Each structure stands twice: as C-alpha cells, then as structure tokens.
Amino acid sequence: MGKSPYDLMAPNQVENPVLTHEHVSDVPARFVADPFMLRVNHTYSMFFEVMNRQTGKGEVGLATSDNAVQWTYQQIVLQEPFHISYPYVFEWQHDYYMIPESYQTNSIRLYKAVDFPIRWSFVQNLLDGHDFVDSSFLAFGDKCWLFTGLGSPPKRADTLRLYYADDLMGPWREHRQSPIIENTIHSARPAGRVLVVDDKIIRYAQDCDPAYGSRVRAFGITELTTMNYHESELDQSPVLAASGTGWNASGMHH
C-alpha cells in the first residue's frame, strides 16, 4: 500500500508477511513468491509461485481475501511438468487469463480461466524460441504489449524485449527498438504488473545488483507506439529495497 504507485509502505494494521510457505497445505512448499492479485465480485484472489520442495519446481497457488489484509490459502491451481512462476493474471475482453513464467519451455504460454479462480486451461504459446522470464502484459491504446526479460542464467536477466499485437492471440511482432534494454541487471527484468495511472504508464523492474531481486525500480513510459518507445526512471525510484532484517532482509524483487 501507499500514497501512490511509487510511494509504497506497509500499513500499520498489517503484520507482514501476510502469507508464507507454512500456509500452503496441499504440497510441501519451500517458499512462496511473485504475488499477483485480481478483485472479482468483491473478493481478492492472489496468485503466486509455490516452490514445491519435493519436485523442485514452481507451481501456482491461490489465496483469497475480502479485504486484501487477511488471506486464506486455498490450493494449487496450476501445475505443469516444468517450472512455472510469476503468474501474471489479467482481464481481457471479459475473460481472465494468466501468463506464468515458463522459461524452461522456451516459450510464453497463455492460460485462460475455465472456472475463475480455480481452474485454468492452456490456450496457446504467444511466443517461442527464447528463455523468456517474467513476461508482463499491458493493454494500452489499441494494442496489446508484452515486456519480457531474457538472460542466462534467467535470474541474471539483463535484456528487456518488447512485443506488440492487435489482439491477445497474436500474431505478436517485436518492436523495432527491441531490445529496449541490454546488458544491465539494474533495470531489465520485469518486477510486477505494468500500471496505467491517470494515463501514465509505470513499468517496474528488478535491480539484481548485487543479488537477485535486491530492489525494485520504477520507470515512467512517456512514449509507447509501434514506432517509438521511451521511458525514464522516476525520481522516487527505487520504490522497494531490502530491509536488512526479517522476512525481506535480502530483497524486495516484485
């Protein structure tokens, strides 16, 4: 919470963290990460990565809340034979979709809610051919946009690519200025939902120096067309950082 998307703080009435791996009851969880929320019919649904200790793979878990403060863990809602994380959920044309990170498949995979928020079905690959990480969707203007990180190993993603399409199902085209960021681990990897606030677009990025997810930086996108792209870091950036103690001692990466 906070006064704005770049002035964030923990509210006084909340004891953090609001959810941990100990709340996960249907698989042996090592940690939870990458939360994304949607509010539907007065209920908040939070989707997040659950690292399964037994399989060593990420899965997507679900917790619900009436007030976004007290959360109740529900269940694992998406499992695959490969690792998935960063469950980027969004509404598109009155349906609900999810783009989880699936870099092990060298693709960006799209899922659709069959029975929101519990049941999800694979629709199609949006893009193939790279180990895409933390792909983030934005509908803006009359286009669909995808920001996606690249790098080897994925936790050190130092490249940000940008794609656009007329429709969610594609075809997707790479922007002529893509990659829009190269050779820096300070601002390439996406770090959560791309926001539009008062017609201003805000992109969050992980700063992975000196370690994975050390802090989150915020960038204002001032030009987003099929021909041109421009962004600049906001004066308030970084908006999140490691606290040095407790549950977020070493980083705030999302």
Side-chain angles (χ1 to χ4, degrees):
M1 299 181 69
K3 298 177 182 179
S4 74
Y6 23 82
D7 184 6
L8 306 175
M9 66 188 70
N12 294 330
Q13 71 272 25
V14 172
E15 182 178 349
N16 278 313
V18 297
L19 192 81
T20 75
H21 71 284
E22 294 178 349
H23 293 96
V24 178
S25 55
D26 48 354
V27 299
R30 187 159 64 88
F31 63 77
V32 294
D34 295 347
F36 285 90
M37 291 192 298
L38 284 179
R39 190 183 186 210
V40 178
N41 297 328
H42 308 291
T43 298
Y44 293 92
S45 294
M46 179 167 62
F47 303 86
F48 50 93
E49 175 192 357
V50 175
M51 175 54 71
N52 189 316
R53 183 187 299 111
Q54 188 172 26
T55 65
K57 298 193 302 291
E59 303 169 357
V60 176
L62 168 70
T64 57
S65 173
D66 294 329
N67 56 17
V69 176
Q70 288 86 28
W71 292 89
T72 301
Y73 177 76
Q74 299 296 333
Q75 65 183 75
I76 297 294
V77 296
L78 187 60
Q79 293 173 308
E80 292 287 11
F82 43 84
H83 172 85
I84 53 176
S85 59
Y86 198 83
Y88 198 105
V89 294
F90 58 95
E91 183 181 0
W92 167 258
Q93 296 184 347
H94 309 296
D95 287 310
Y96 299 100
Y97 293 90
M98 180 189 299
I99 300 176
E101 179 191 273
S102 55
Y103 75 91
Q104 291 180 344
T105 70
N106 282 346
S107 64
I108 298 177
R109 294 168 61 89
L110 178 69
Y111 295 78
K112 183 179 180 179
V114 179
D115 181 14
F116 184 89
I118 300 296
R119 295 180 56 220
W120 297 82
S121 177
F122 173 68
V123 178
Q124 65 181 56
N125 286 354
L126 299 182
L127 291 168
D128 294 284
H130 295 288
D131 53 349
F132 305 99
V133 296
D134 295 350
S135 300
S136 300
F137 172 84
L138 171 67
F140 184 79
D142 60 351
K143 301 293 182 186
C144 297
W145 307 88
L146 269 176
F147 298 83
T148 186
L150 289 175
S152 184
K155 283 190 176 182
R156 301 292 285 181
D158 64 357
T159 299
L160 181 67
R161 292 186 178 271
L162 176 62
Y163 298 84
Y164 67 92
D166 294 328
D167 184 84
L168 174 60
M169 303 304 164
W172 288 87
R173 304 173 182 87
E174 188 163 11
H175 196 279
R176 69 171 192 162
Q177 290 181 230
S178 179
I180 55 179
I181 294 176
E182 285 187 284
N183 302 319
T184 175
I185 58 174
H186 293 282
S187 58
R189 184 169 183 162
R193 193 178 301 280
V194 184
L195 300 180
V196 179
V197 181
D198 298 329
D199 294 325
K200 298 178 181 178
I201 309 173
I202 303 168
R203 182 185 74 85
Y204 296 103
Q206 294 186 43
D207 186 340
C208 295
D209 183 27
Y212 169 57
S214 293
R215 61 190 64 81
V216 173
R217 298 188 178 276
F219 295 82
I221 299 174
T222 55
E223 189 170 14
L224 180 60
T225 70
T226 58
M227 298 298 292
N228 296 302
Y229 180 89
H230 185 266
E231 69 175 24
S232 59
E233 187 164 8
L234 299 175
D235 292 340
Q236 300 89 338
S237 184
V239 297
L240 292 172
S243 69
T245 61
W247 66 276
N248 62 345
S250 60
M252 291 285 286
H253 78 281
H254 173 82

